[in-house]
Amino acid sequence: MIESNRLTSTTNSTLGLLNYARGEAVRHGEPVRVQARDGGLQNGLEVVLVSDDDDPIRVGHKLPGAVTLVLQSGDMPRFNGRGEKAGDNNTVFRICPGNGKAGVDIVVNRGGQANRAQAEPACS
């Protein structure tokens, strides 16, 4: 039960951070990127205006318990001033609960929209 709650919480905060990044790119009219915090995805994600590399505009929390976040495919998202994701491929993040049960894939499409995938991926 606890791992399930942690999975849900991490999924919601990751989606929120990705949507925030896209919104800030549009609001500022300039590129914004999402990157790993302190060198690793397990430390969380942060949002940075490309024009101001050193100062994150939002910092996510370190992942709770045994929950893991991996970049399954694509590159870390970078949104242009219109909110579109740079690059030709979708970005897929996989979040796993750490108890061997099914996880969640979050897909950021080329239009910049971040959504939870319908299929629940197997996690080991």
Side-chain angles (χ1 to χ4, degrees):
M1 179 71 154
I2 292 172
E3 286 301 313
S4 175
N5 290 343
R6 288 176 175 163
L7 175 67
T8 300
S9 172
T10 301
T11 300
N12 290 340
S13 34
T14 302
L15 279 167
L17 187 129
L18 291 166
N19 288 322
Y20 173 83
R22 183 181 188 216
E24 288 299 292
V26 171
R27 187 169 81 84
H28 289 279
E30 64 179 275
V32 169
R33 80 169 176 272
V34 176
Q35 62 190 26
R37 184 175 162 211
D38 297 328
L41 291 173
Q42 294 311 112
N43 296 322
L45 298 170
E46 61 187 14
V47 179
V48 178
L49 285 171
V50 172
S51 64
D52 189 13
D53 261 355
D54 297 330
D55 193 22
I57 56 176
R58 182 176 241 178
V59 176
H61 298 288
K62 184 175 179 171
L63 298 179
V67 174
T68 60
L69 173 67
V70 295
L71 183 62
Q72 191 68 20
S73 65
D75 298 319
M76 292 296 284
R78 177 180 168 134
F79 301 98
N80 66 26
R82 294 183 307 276
E84 301 163 331
K85 189 181 86 58
D88 292 333
N89 298 320
N90 291 344
T91 296
V92 179
F93 289 100
R94 179 161 292 165
I95 304 171
C96 290
N99 60 4
K101 296 194 176 181
V104 173
D105 279 351
I106 294 176
V107 179
V108 184
N109 66 25
R110 290 177 52 198
Q113 297 168 320
N115 294 295
R116 181 179 173 159
Q118 294 298 319
E120 293 183 342
C123 294
S124 53

